[in-house]
Amino acid sequence: MVSKRRLSKSEDKESLIEDVSKARKQPLSKKTKKSHVHNEVEENDSIFVKLLKTSGVILKTGESQNQLTVDQVVFQKKLFQTLRKHPSYPKIIEEFVSDLESYIEDQDSFRSCLLSCERLQDEEASVNSDGFNMPRLIISQLKWLDRIVDGKDLTTKLMQLISIAPLYLQHDFVTSLPEILGDSQHADVGKELSDLLMENTPLTVPILDVLSSLRLDLKLLSQVRQLVMGKLLSVKLDDLPVIIKFILHSVTAADALEVISELREKLDLQHCILPSRLQASQSKLKNKGRQSSSGNQENNSQDCVILLFDVIKSAVRYEKIISEAWIKAIENTASVSEHKTFDLAMLLIIYSTNTQTKKYIERVLRNKIRSGCFQEQLLQSTFYIHDLVLKDICPSILSLAQCLLHSLDQSIILFGSLLYKYAFKFFDTYCQQEVVGALVTHICSGNEAEVDTALDVLLELVVLNPSAMRLNAVFVKGILDYLDNMSPQQIRKLFFVLSTLAFSKQHEASSHIQDDMHLVIRKQLSSTIFKYKLIGIIGAVTMAGIMAADRSRSSNLTQERTDLSNEQCTQVTSLLQLVHSCSEQSPQASALYYDELANLIQGGKLAPKALEWLGQTIFNDFQDAFVVDFCDFPVGDYPFPVKALYGLEEYSSHDGIVINLLPPLFSQDFAKDGDRMTSKESDQKLVSPLCLAPYFRLLRLCVEKQHNGNLEEIDGLLDCPIFLTDLDPGDRLESMSVKEHSFMCSLIFLTLNWFREIVNAFCQQTSPEMKGKVLTRLKHIVELQRILEKYLAVTPDYVPPLANFDLETLDVTPPTAAAISAKVRKQGKIGGKRKADGSKTSSPDTLSKEDSSECDPTPSNRSQLEKDFKGKEEKTSVSLQSYHAFFRELDIEVFSILHCGLVTKCILDTEMHTAATEIVQLQPPELLFLLEDLSQKLENMLTPSVARRIPFLKSKGNRNIGFSHLHQRSAQEVAHNIVQLLAPMCNHLENIHNYFQCLAAENQGVVDGPRMKVQEYHIMSSCYQRLLQIFHGLFAWSGFFQPENHNLLYSALEVLTNRLKQGEPDQSLEELLRQSFNYLQNFSHSIPSFQCALYLIRLLMVILEKSTAPAQNKEKIASLAKQFLCRVWPRGEKEKNSIATEQLHTLLSIYLEHTNSVLKAIEEIAGVGVPELINSPKDASSSTFPTLNRHTFVIFFRVMMAELEKTVKGLQAGTAADSQQIHEEKLLYWNMAVRDFSILINLIKVFDSRPVLHVCLKYGRLFVEAFLKQCMPLLDFSFRKHREDVLSLLETFQLDTRLLHHLCGHSKIHQDTKLTKHVPLLKKTLELLVCRVKAMLIFNNCREAFWLGNLKNRDLQGEEIMSQNSEESEDDTASQVSKSKATEDGEEDEVSDGEKEQDSEESDDDSD
């Protein structure tokens, strides 16, 4: 544009040329000169053509040369005047230049033509004819000179040049400074550049680039950094890389954390990247693929971001302080909202560039994930915003994901799986292939948790991006070679993934997957080995479900849907018929097929037509196989009289149905010898009774799906009787043969499993009559279990029929039976008491730990409790908990029965037509049965895997046997179902609480009622324990820390809070936790057993952990724990040696950890409780602490020593800068600690058992080490002002260390390796103590007071050990000399007196 100020004609001309120059500098169009067929004169109405023709230039079309009709100077003059005098000046200039651009063919040539203009002559003066920049050439000659005569003057001239030069020359001059200046000029130049930085913003980038290369004062760099940091929010993205480079270059170790923290707060790349990306995406929609300036802008911003991260990568790779400070800054960020995508991206970048910090980053990540700071939304945003940067470090991200998947915390495992998921989603094809390869590696690793997680990720990826997954299907298909090591649930997931890839779309690329799957399935189905047949059955049923689901969900045209429906329905039915025909020869395979098909139907994944066909087939086959008319009484030579038992209605001889169980079981078990029963089998094909329960489950689910939950078609099976025999053995038990025992056991197992499936089926029916019958069946289950225990006790080698068929193999018998058999055979030799011994050896305490890790570490089983009140003839019962795998699984819906009242009697059968109505209610035995099963389910699903780790070389499948249906659900679903049951469980808990309170009021807490009262007491106690166990398992679930489960936790706490009073609807979480704590605390008065007390304490601690202010309730935990320690518990609890040991250790540790003063608590127990124990009779206990007796003393001693050492170790060492008051408080604290230590150490003179001495050696050394590190620095500064206190402290401690020395001698005399292994470390620590005391005396100018003597080696009784030639002890004489000298030397007397004790310690160490 032409300037509006016109001073002269020449100035106007310069202005005009300046406008042309500016137009020249703009990007010129690539338009070519218009070409015509004929070389004619250009005829155009444009301003440009008209003005040129007026000034003397005729433009020609085509290849002809343009014609200049006047002299060049005249042309320039005319053109200038014409433009100048034009009416629309200065706007005419823009139009002229715009038209000019379309005629420029060669920009360089045109530029040369304009050199005659004055303005361009000035600009081009610096560029010679060869195109070289003369100022730059001159400056380059000054670089790297060997000798500069006057460097200061040169620096001054250069800075003057910079101040007056044009901007583009200033840039060249500034960037050349580091190569010209000497080191002595760096400081001056740096100060001037910093001043120039404040004045000249356009030079920010070159100045900061130069400052990074100069050796400058740290203070100056800090000032510049602060200036730049203040402008960080307003700088352009292009300038960020250089600015960040300078900031990171100027960081020192002292201010690194502060600088990085400020930098991460102000550097928000999200606002730089997202707008340009959004603008580019909008531009693409408008331009539909055409190149646009916004697209260039996006590419430019991406380049800048990549360059910025390259700068950061370089800094964190080569500067350890920067990487550590960055991690620390992120670690110190506490609020969830303060975490940015940049933080997560930086952790991933540092993880990939700096190998030394990998462990540190992993720890920070784990803590952030646990605390909820790094959530899925943040991770997804990080990958979306920084995908280009993260793509380059894909291998490191996959490595981190692999590491996180090895964790035991479910939230961390989930985060690792999300890393895989988003890497696949946002990265390119190569990275996607790497992700799938890594997941396949996890699946083939054999680690159960890794396999499950990796398969879950594959399931998500198949849904997320099926087309991309189809490209990698060959990798997934390779997993088929590793099926041998996978569990049934994992096989289901794998076939679901493959089936989804193969059948989700009718795609030609998927046909090879379909073919391979059909081949694998047919091969496995035809195998005679059960494991491979299992794989074939699971794979075929899973594939059938996908095929049917795809048909039902296919969209688009209706005509196509009909065609696909018929075709796929035929495929599904033919596939299922193939499975049925291949499995019908094996009862186990048939049962597995029925279970798998039932699971498929339950998930609603089968087509309606296929479901209708299947339902009709199953209905008819079930009737033919297992249902007979009541009048069709079995005839045969049976060893037991056949009766129709357990019917709920009266049948006449002509109507009604019966489940035919005993005859087919007899045919199966007794007809193997080839007797006359085989002729009957030839007439009618018998289905194995093993299939009864699975077959009924399948039938029930078919009917349920077809009729929307209505089971009227099969409700006759609920109350129909079963063909059995009298099951209660009575006096016949010992007279029966082993084969008859086994037959009766099998019959009872099958009957129990039938009843369990009946309860599964009808538990959700709403009619009162149905509810009453279900409760009756539940009562039958409890009765049958009691009878079964009697049979199992005398049949130790018996292996029950399978009830859960998705096992890895049938060749390996579950370890429960083998363990019982081995133990009974071992102990049966003693006195011939095989029955009693069998019952003892198969107790849940021993078997549950060996055989099934899903059992509670301290289980309370009904049969174990009944031993206290049953007669000798009834001591034959065993634990059914070890037979858990041989019972059909109860569905989670069964526990809706808990809504029935425990005490309130109500008539449920309101519509019965009989004369008398029976009152049915949920009794304590049935309640205990339900609670035991629910607690096992909860522990299996919600308890962290670290708490139920499988022992080494133990079969990994054992833990999940009997929980197949449960594992079809997520942990969130299970937790939600249990929260729904909280209200009825609170009712039961309160009823049991009232029962024990009434019992205590009647009997003054003594259980001495009649026999049935004792039985009821123990059953109610077991229910109490199971309820507390369920509550603890629920609230201890780690999933509550995940944001999506916060509402579920809120609901659970509301249930507990409303038990006290109906609260406001919108209470805070803290208020709910407080009221829930108070509600549960009220139950402490009625706790019937020590184990229940421990569960209540743990439950309260779990509630307390979720509070943000736990300190106020912490003392309540300690008070409650002390109350339990001071309570007299029933003797039955004390007899459980190993369990009581663990429980007492835990409770005592909880008490000492939560009490306000650990030292006072230890002093109370050791100073009050232990002396009471010492003075009491042999079998008595302490009156203050009844749980403290001679058997439990070692537990008390171990916990007190450990907590004492832990407490003093956590005390900060004193420093000289601390105030006098702090020194006094810490010295007082150490006096108390040493006094407690002295009391505990001296107890070994009375209690000198091997475990006590071992604890003393181990924790004695640790206490001395803590004294060295934490107390000795305090004594350095306290010795002069508190000499008496220090001397008293050292005198007490000297006696303790002398006793430790005697203990070392005692260990060597007895040559006890468990004790002597601690002796060398203990002696070394005592040596260090003497040296450290000497250093303290030198520090206080009392070196002459230090002296050494020798101490005799003695044992615990004080007798001298004569095996070594010890010198005469001089400690007593030396003490006297020290004291006499002390009275003469003033201050030195205190020092000598104090050193007297340390001399003895030196003797302790040197005499051996």
Side-chain angles (χ1 to χ4, degrees):
M1 296 293 291
V2 177
S3 175
K4 293 183 180 180
R5 298 173 56 206
R6 295 179 287 174
L7 302 178
S8 64
K9 183 177 180 180
S10 61
E11 183 176 343
D12 291 345
K13 184 175 181 180
E14 286 184 11
S15 301
L16 176 61
I17 301 303
E18 180 179 356
D19 292 329
V20 177
S21 173
K22 289 182 179 179
R24 171 191 56 78
K25 292 181 181 179
Q26 296 174 358
L28 300 177
S29 174
K30 297 295 182 182
K31 293 180 182 178
T32 58
K33 178 179 168 184
K34 294 180 180 180
S35 59
H36 298 273
V37 178
H38 305 288
N39 296 331
E40 300 175 353
V41 176
E42 179 76 43
E43 295 294 340
N44 199 328
D45 294 336
S46 65
I47 295 295
F48 176 72
V49 175
K50 289 181 180 180
L51 290 179
L52 286 186
K53 185 180 293 188
T54 304
S55 303
V57 172
I58 299 174
L59 299 178
K60 297 292 186 70
T61 60
E63 300 297 330
S64 301
Q65 295 292 329
N66 298 324
Q67 184 179 353
L68 181 63
T69 58
V70 296
D71 188 68
Q72 183 177 349
V73 177
V74 177
F75 165 73
Q76 292 180 1
K77 185 176 181 180
K78 282 186 177 183
L79 180 60
F80 176 77
Q81 290 177 349
T82 304
L83 289 170
R84 184 70 184 79
K85 294 178 181 180
H86 197 279
S88 61
Y89 178 81
K91 187 177 180 181
I92 188 64
I93 300 296
E94 295 180 2
E95 298 179 14
F96 181 84
V97 172
S98 177
D99 292 339
L100 172 63
E101 289 181 354
S102 62
Y103 289 89
I104 297 174
E105 293 181 352
D106 191 339
Q107 295 185 17
D108 294 334
S109 300
F110 182 71
R111 179 184 179 86
S112 301
C113 295
L114 295 178
L115 285 177
S116 58
C117 302
E118 297 175 12
R119 176 63 179 237
L120 291 181
Q121 287 176 357
D122 294 339
E123 291 185 3
E124 297 295 333
S126 60
V127 181
N128 63 6
S129 58
D130 295 328
F132 295 111
N133 190 309
M134 292 305 296
R136 189 173 295 167
L137 288 174
I138 295 173
I139 288 295
S140 66
Q141 301 305 310
L142 299 177
K143 296 180 181 179
W144 312 116
L145 295 178
D146 294 334
R147 180 174 178 271
I148 299 177
V149 177
D150 191 348
K152 188 174 183 180
D153 186 55
L154 176 62
T155 302
T156 305
K157 296 296 184 185
L158 285 173
M159 297 310 297
Q160 289 176 355
L161 280 174
I162 292 174
S163 63
I164 62 174
L167 181 61
Y168 71 96
L169 287 180
Q170 284 181 325
H171 189 284
D172 291 341
F173 289 164
V174 170
T175 54
S176 302
L177 285 176
E179 298 154 354
I180 299 174
L181 302 177
D183 291 350
S184 58
Q185 279 78 46
H186 282 191
D188 296 334
V189 172
K191 190 175 186 312
E192 292 194 39
L193 287 178
S194 64
D195 296 337
L196 183 62
L197 180 65
M198 288 187 268
E199 301 170 1
N200 198 339
T201 305
L203 288 177
T204 298
V205 172
I207 289 176
L208 293 181
D209 199 12
V210 169
L211 290 177
S212 301
S213 305
L214 301 180
R215 297 176 57 189
L216 301 177
D217 180 47
L218 294 178
K219 186 176 181 181
L220 176 63
L221 283 176
S222 178
Q223 293 175 354
V224 177
R225 186 179 64 234
Q226 290 297 329
L227 174 67
V228 175
M229 198 78 81
K231 299 179 179 180
L232 199 59
L233 294 174
S234 59
V235 298
K236 295 188 296 184
L237 184 61
D238 298 355
D239 299 340
L240 265 181
V242 177
I243 294 175
I244 299 300
K245 180 181 178 182
F246 168 75
I247 293 175
L248 297 179
H249 174 78
S250 62
V251 167
T252 61
D255 59 5
L257 181 58
E258 179 184 355
V259 172
I260 298 298
S261 299
E262 185 178 1
L263 180 62
R264 64 164 293 277
E265 290 177 5
K266 295 186 176 181
L267 188 62
D268 194 357
L269 294 178
Q270 182 173 343
H271 294 149
C272 300
I273 299 174
L274 286 181
S276 62
R277 184 171 295 184
L278 181 62
Q279 184 180 1
S281 62
Q282 291 175 348
S283 177
K284 288 178 182 178
L285 292 175
K286 292 179 180 179
N287 298 327
K288 295 182 180 180
R290 288 183 295 172
Q291 187 68 28
S292 64
S293 60
S294 60
N296 295 333
Q297 180 182 356
E298 182 193 13
N299 294 333
N300 185 40
S301 65
Q302 290 177 353
D303 293 342
C304 292
V305 170
I306 292 174
L307 187 59
L308 170 63
F309 277 102
D310 286 341
V311 169
I312 296 175
K313 285 180 188 178
S314 177
V316 298
R317 177 183 287 116
Y318 300 113
E319 294 292 339
K320 185 179 179 182
I321 58 170
I322 294 179
S323 61
E324 291 181 350
W326 215 306
I327 302 171
K328 192 69 177 176
I330 298 174
E331 185 180 17
N332 292 342
T333 305
S335 175
V336 177
S337 58
E338 293 178 3
H339 289 82
K340 306 176 182 178
T341 58
F342 185 54
D343 293 336
L344 195 49
M346 279 306 305
L347 287 180
L348 297 175
I349 288 171
I350 299 174
Y351 188 86
S352 67
T353 56
N354 199 327
T355 56
Q356 289 82 11
T357 57
K358 282 191 173 183
K359 294 294 183 183
Y360 186 16
I361 292 176
E362 289 170 9
R363 186 172 74 249
V364 171
L365 269 175
R366 287 188 175 97
N367 293 335
K368 293 292 183 183
I369 294 168
R370 289 191 188 101
S371 61
C373 295
F374 286 172
Q375 300 174 11
E376 182 176 359
Q377 184 59 45
L378 182 69
L379 182 63
Q380 184 177 3
S381 302
T382 303
F383 273 87
Y384 176 71
I385 295 171
H386 303 293
D387 57 333
L388 289 176
V389 178
L390 298 181
K391 182 175 67 176
D392 296 335
I393 59 172
C394 178
S396 295
I397 293 177
L398 299 186
S399 174
L400 176 61
Q402 180 182 5
C403 178
L404 294 181
L405 248 64
H406 293 158
S407 173
L408 298 174
D409 192 321
Q410 193 58 39
S411 60
I412 296 174
I413 295 175
L414 176 62
F415 193 86
S417 66
L418 289 175
L419 284 176
Y420 282 125
K421 175 183 174 181
Y422 292 125
F424 186 90
K425 180 178 179 180
F426 290 101
F427 294 166
D428 56 18
T429 306
Y430 171 76
C431 293
Q432 289 177 344
Q433 181 177 317
E434 292 296 311
V435 169
V436 175
L439 291 173
V440 170
T441 303
H442 281 299
I443 294 171
C444 301
S445 67
N447 184 296
E448 187 178 5
E450 287 185 47
V451 175
D452 288 333
T453 306
L455 284 170
D456 290 338
V457 176
L458 279 182
L459 287 172
E460 288 190 58
L461 296 183
V462 166
V463 177
L464 183 71
N465 195 344
S467 58
M469 275 299 297
R470 199 173 286 115
L471 297 175
N472 298 284
V474 65
F475 298 106
V476 183
K477 193 172 62 176
I479 307 176
L480 291 172
D481 297 332
Y482 295 87
L483 292 175
D484 287 358
N485 297 322
M486 298 175 69
S487 69
Q489 179 65 12
Q490 293 162 355
I491 294 172
R492 288 187 194 99
K493 293 179 181 178
L494 175 61
F495 275 100
F496 185 89
V497 171
L498 289 171
S499 301
T500 305
L501 291 175
F503 296 99
S504 59
K505 290 185 177 181
Q506 294 300 324
H507 199 280
E508 293 182 1
S510 304
S511 60
H512 70 282
I513 309 177
Q514 297 180 16
D515 296 340
D516 288 345
M517 290 185 65
H518 278 292
L519 286 173
V520 169
I521 287 173
R522 287 178 179 273
K523 178 182 177 181
Q524 306 286 16
L525 285 174
S526 61
S527 174
T528 57
I529 301 175
F530 178 77
K531 177 170 179 59
Y532 300 120
K533 193 177 287 288
L534 171 144
I535 295 173
I537 293 172
I538 292 177
V541 174
T542 305
M543 190 165 71
I546 293 295
M547 293 163 65
D550 182 63
R551 181 212 58 79
S552 61
R553 295 173 185 174
S554 64
S555 55
N556 296 335
L557 300 178
T558 307
Q559 184 66 35
E560 293 181 3
R561 287 187 61 186
T562 304
D563 296 338
L564 289 175
S565 173
N566 294 331
E567 178 186 355
Q568 290 196 354
C569 186
T570 304
Q571 292 179 358
V572 170
T573 54
S574 61
L575 182 61
L576 294 179
Q577 286 174 344
L578 171 67
V579 181
H580 179 71
S581 62
C582 291
S583 59
E584 62 183 353
Q585 300 301 324
S586 167
Q588 292 86 357
S590 296
L592 173 65
Y593 166 61
Y594 299 144
D595 275 343
E596 288 299 311
L597 207 51
N599 292 337
L600 181 64
I601 294 172
Q602 189 175 28
K605 298 177 181 178
L606 204 60
K609 285 189 176 181
L611 183 61
E612 183 180 354
W613 165 81
L614 189 63
Q616 189 62 38
T617 306
I618 293 296
F619 191 86
N620 295 332
D621 291 349
F622 183 83
Q623 278 188 321
D624 296 340
F626 297 109
V627 180
V628 296
D629 293 330
F630 190 83
C631 58
D632 187 12
F633 211 79
V635 179
D637 187 11
Y638 299 106
F640 309 102
V642 180
K643 298 180 181 180
L645 302 178
Y646 294 103
L648 300 184
E649 292 185 1
E650 293 294 333
Y651 287 109
S652 66
S653 59
H654 302 289
D655 60 357
I657 57 173
V658 185
I659 298 298
N660 190 28
L661 183 57
L662 188 146
L665 180 63
F666 179 79
S667 301
Q668 176 180 294
D669 288 358
F670 283 83
K672 293 177 182 177
D673 301 331
D675 58 10
R676 60 185 176 276
M677 297 298 294
T678 55
S679 61
K680 186 176 181 179
E681 288 181 3
S682 60
D683 300 332
Q684 181 182 1
K685 181 180 178 182
L686 291 178
V687 181
S688 170
L690 197 67
C691 301
L692 172 61
Y695 222 150
F696 172 70
R697 178 178 175 82
L698 176 58
L699 172 64
R700 182 261 296 190
L701 287 170
C702 281
V703 174
E704 196 175 74
K705 287 293 179 182
Q706 287 179 312
H707 299 87
N708 298 321
N710 190 346
L711 298 179
E712 287 184 1
E713 284 194 8
I714 58 172
D715 60 356
L717 297 174
L718 171 60
D719 48 27
C720 73
I722 311 173
F723 276 144
L724 300 170
T725 186
D726 290 328
L727 299 178
D728 196 339
D731 299 332
R732 298 180 295 116
L733 188 63
E734 295 183 3
S735 62
M736 295 169 65
S737 66
V738 174
K739 191 170 184 178
E740 289 174 339
H741 282 162
S742 298
F743 177 77
M744 293 299 291
C745 287
S746 297
L747 191 62
I748 297 174
F749 266 107
L750 293 173
T751 307
L752 276 170
N753 287 328
W754 165 253
F755 284 157
R756 290 170 80 101
E757 283 299 342
I758 286 290
V759 172
N760 278 339
F762 296 96
C763 63
Q764 292 184 293
Q765 299 301 305
T766 55
S767 70
E769 183 179 357
M770 288 285 195
K771 287 183 179 180
K773 292 179 180 179
V774 169
L775 286 176
T776 304
R777 288 302 186 205
L778 205 59
K779 184 178 180 182
H780 292 159
I781 291 175
V782 175
E783 291 175 357
L784 284 173
Q785 286 190 167
R786 186 168 63 250
I787 296 172
L788 180 60
E789 288 171 351
K790 299 177 182 179
Y791 280 105
L792 290 176
V794 296
T795 320
D797 294 321
Y798 170 71
V799 178
L802 286 176
N804 302 282
F805 304 93
D806 51 353
L807 310 172
E808 278 85 354
T809 176
L810 295 181
D811 298 334
V812 179
T813 303
T816 51
I820 295 171
S821 175
K823 291 178 180 293
V824 170
R825 282 196 300 268
K826 180 178 178 181
Q827 297 194 11
K829 302 174 184 177
I830 304 174
K833 298 179 181 178
R834 183 179 182 117
K835 302 173 193 175
D837 292 335
S839 64
K840 290 179 181 177
T841 54
S842 55
S843 67
D845 304 336
T846 56
L847 287 176
S848 62
K849 292 184 179 179
E850 292 183 18
D851 302 327
S852 55
S853 54
E854 78 271 12
C855 297
D856 184 59
T858 56
S860 174
N861 190 275
R862 185 173 65 259
S863 63
Q864 177 71 21
L865 294 171
E866 288 173 351
K867 293 179 184 179
D868 295 331
F869 55 80
K870 286 192 175 183
K872 291 183 180 180
E873 72 281 2
E874 292 181 332
K875 288 186 178 180
T876 57
S877 59
V878 296
S879 167
L880 288 183
Q881 196 163 16
S882 54
Y883 290 87
H884 169 77
F886 299 96
F887 292 113
R888 293 290 290 179
E889 179 182 359
L890 292 179
D891 292 339
I892 198 77
E893 290 81 12
V894 168
F895 301 103
S896 61
I897 299 174
L898 290 172
H899 288 276
C900 299
L902 172 67
V903 176
T904 305
K905 294 185 177 182
C906 57
I907 299 176
L908 297 175
D909 283 344
T910 57
E911 299 176 3
M912 289 184 65
H913 300 291
T914 55
T917 57
E918 181 184 2
I919 297 176
V920 183
Q921 62 178 353
L922 188 62
Q923 297 293 337
E926 290 83 52
L927 174 64
L928 179 59
F929 168 76
L930 291 174
L931 293 178
E932 284 179 342
D933 195 88
L934 180 59
S935 67
Q936 290 177 1
K937 283 182 167 55
L938 183 142
E939 186 177 7
N940 187 272
M941 285 296 290
L942 303 188
T943 303
S945 56
V946 65
R948 44 184 171 86
R949 181 72 66 86
I950 303 168
F952 184 62
L953 294 180
K954 183 72 71 173
S955 174
K956 71 178 188 300
N958 286 349
R959 180 171 59 85
N960 294 329
I961 295 177
F963 296 103
S964 301
H965 303 154
L966 185 69
H967 288 170
Q968 305 290 330
R969 306 170 183 264
S970 66
Q972 287 81 358
E973 291 179 75
V974 175
H976 182 269
N977 283 321
I978 296 177
V979 170
Q980 300 302 315
L981 296 172
L982 274 183
M985 285 195 292
C986 285
N987 288 332
H988 293 303
L989 191 64
E990 291 166 11
N991 290 333
I992 298 173
H993 166 77
N994 295 334
Y995 167 82
F996 281 111
Q997 280 199 323
C998 295
L999 194 65
E1002 293 174 4
N1003 301 329
Q1004 289 77 40
V1006 180
V1007 187
D1008 55 356
R1011 181 173 170 180
M1012 289 306 296
K1013 285 285 187 180
V1014 177
Q1015 178 180 1
E1016 186 180 76
Y1017 175 90
H1018 286 287
I1019 292 179
M1020 297 292 274
S1021 178
S1022 298
C1023 290
Y1024 208 149
Q1025 177 206 324
R1026 289 297 181 182
L1027 283 167
L1028 292 175
Q1029 186 177 348
I1030 292 169
F1031 276 52
H1032 173 262
L1034 174 64
F1035 287 102
W1037 179 45
S1038 59
F1040 279 135
F1041 290 103
Q1042 299 172 7
E1044 60 268 22
N1045 296 324
H1046 286 172
N1047 289 336
L1048 189 61
L1049 174 62
Y1050 193 91
S1051 302
L1053 293 172
E1054 273 189 330
V1055 173
L1056 300 186
T1057 302
N1058 292 336
R1059 307 301 297 188
L1060 288 176
K1061 61 176 182 178
Q1062 290 295 329
E1064 297 78 11
D1066 297 325
Q1067 295 186 76
S1068 66
L1069 180 64
E1070 196 65 34
E1071 179 65 18
L1072 290 175
L1073 288 169
R1074 186 185 65 82
Q1075 295 190 25
S1076 299
F1077 185 93
N1078 293 336
Y1079 169 70
L1080 294 171
Q1081 190 182 8
N1082 293 335
F1083 292 100
S1084 61
H1085 305 294
S1086 63
I1087 293 294
S1089 66
F1090 193 86
Q1091 192 171 6
C1092 290
L1094 184 58
Y1095 270 115
L1096 179 62
I1097 287 282
R1098 284 174 170 169
L1099 174 58
L1100 292 173
M1101 289 172 61
V1102 166
I1103 297 291
L1104 197 63
E1105 287 171 1
K1106 301 184 188 317
S1107 172
T1108 55
Q1112 54 187 355
N1113 286 328
K1114 191 175 180 181
E1115 185 59 32
K1116 293 182 180 178
I1117 296 285
S1119 174
L1120 198 56
K1122 183 179 179 181
Q1123 175 187 336
F1124 291 148
L1125 290 171
C1126 297
R1127 183 183 295 185
V1128 178
W1129 297 102
R1131 181 170 295 276
E1133 294 292 322
K1134 293 183 181 179
E1135 291 175 356
K1136 298 181 181 179
N1137 294 328
S1138 60
I1139 296 180
T1141 298
E1142 297 172 3
Q1143 294 170 359
L1144 183 59
H1145 186 284
T1146 304
L1147 187 62
L1148 186 56
S1149 299
I1150 291 172
Y1151 167 55
L1152 294 180
E1153 287 171 2
H1154 288 76
T1155 187
N1156 286 336
S1157 176
V1158 178
L1159 300 182
K1160 289 182 179 179
I1162 293 176
E1163 187 171 357
E1164 181 183 10
I1165 297 175
V1168 178
V1170 176
E1172 291 176 352
L1173 176 63
I1174 295 174
N1175 297 326
S1176 64
K1178 182 178 180 181
D1179 295 330
S1181 59
S1182 167
S1183 57
T1184 306
F1185 295 92
T1187 50
L1188 174 61
N1189 54 43
R1190 282 172 171 76
H1191 297 292
T1192 60
F1193 170 78
V1194 65
I1195 305 168
F1196 274 80
F1197 188 74
R1198 182 187 299 114
V1199 174
M1200 287 190 292
M1201 288 289 285
E1203 290 298 326
L1204 177 62
E1205 184 269 334
K1206 180 181 176 182
T1207 302
V1208 297
K1209 191 176 181 180
L1211 184 67
Q1212 294 296 324
T1215 61
D1218 293 338
S1219 64
Q1220 185 67 24
Q1221 182 182 359
I1222 294 177
H1223 283 171
E1224 292 176 356
E1225 290 176 355
K1226 290 187 175 181
L1227 194 59
L1228 178 62
Y1229 189 91
W1230 272 105
N1231 268 298
M1232 293 176 61
V1234 170
R1235 184 170 70 248
D1236 286 352
F1237 182 71
S1238 181
I1239 294 173
L1240 292 174
I1241 283 292
N1242 280 278
L1243 290 178
I1244 65 173
K1245 296 178 180 178
V1246 180
F1247 302 93
D1248 57 354
S1249 64
R1250 183 168 173 261
V1252 173
L1253 299 183
H1254 179 264
V1255 170
C1256 193
L1257 282 171
K1258 177 181 177 181
Y1259 290 103
R1261 174 181 62 83
L1262 295 175
F1263 185 88
V1264 176
E1265 287 179 352
F1267 187 89
L1268 275 169
K1269 296 177 182 178
Q1270 313 293 336
C1271 184
M1272 288 308 300
L1274 175 67
L1275 300 186
D1276 290 341
F1277 306 112
S1278 305
F1279 186 77
R1280 292 182 180 275
K1281 296 181 180 179
H1282 304 281
R1283 287 172 296 180
E1284 293 296 336
D1285 295 332
V1286 172
L1287 292 176
S1288 174
L1289 177 65
L1290 294 176
E1291 182 179 359
T1292 305
F1293 201 49
Q1294 173 256 336
L1295 297 174
D1296 302 335
T1297 55
R1298 179 179 296 175
L1299 192 54
L1300 287 175
H1301 172 75
H1302 294 167
L1303 181 55
C1304 293
H1306 171 86
S1307 304
K1308 288 193 173 184
I1309 290 175
H1310 290 77
Q1311 297 181 348
D1312 191 330
T1313 55
K1314 185 176 181 181
L1315 300 180
T1316 53
K1317 69 178 182 180
H1318 293 285
V1319 170
L1321 289 174
L1322 178 57
K1323 283 187 168 291
K1324 179 182 178 181
T1325 305
L1326 293 174
E1327 276 185 33
L1328 292 174
L1329 178 63
V1330 174
C1331 297
R1332 184 63 182 83
V1333 171
K1334 181 178 180 180
M1336 181 198 73
L1337 294 173
I1338 295 175
F1339 180 77
N1340 288 279
N1341 300 321
C1342 297
R1343 182 173 186 175
E1344 62 277 6
F1346 187 82
W1347 54 271
L1348 299 178
N1350 292 321
L1351 183 68
K1352 292 181 180 179
N1353 290 286
R1354 302 178 185 274
D1355 57 17
L1356 289 181
Q1357 286 71 34
E1359 299 294 333
E1360 182 177 354
I1361 300 175
M1362 303 306 297
S1363 60
Q1364 301 180 24
N1365 296 324
S1366 303
E1367 295 183 8
E1368 183 71 16
S1369 176
E1370 299 178 1
D1371 59 334
D1372 296 333
T1373 307
S1375 300
Q1376 296 299 327
V1377 173
S1378 298
K1379 287 185 178 291
S1380 62
K1381 184 179 179 181
T1383 57
E1384 300 174 4
D1385 294 343
E1387 180 179 348
E1388 189 176 339
D1389 65 343
E1390 307 271 359
V1391 180
S1392 300
D1393 226 355
E1395 187 46 39
K1396 171 194 63 177
E1397 286 77 38
Q1398 301 310 318
D1399 158 46
S1400 299
E1401 291 157 20
E1402 172 69 2
S1403 304
D1404 288 357
D1405 300 308
D1406 294 344
S1407 61
D1408 191 12

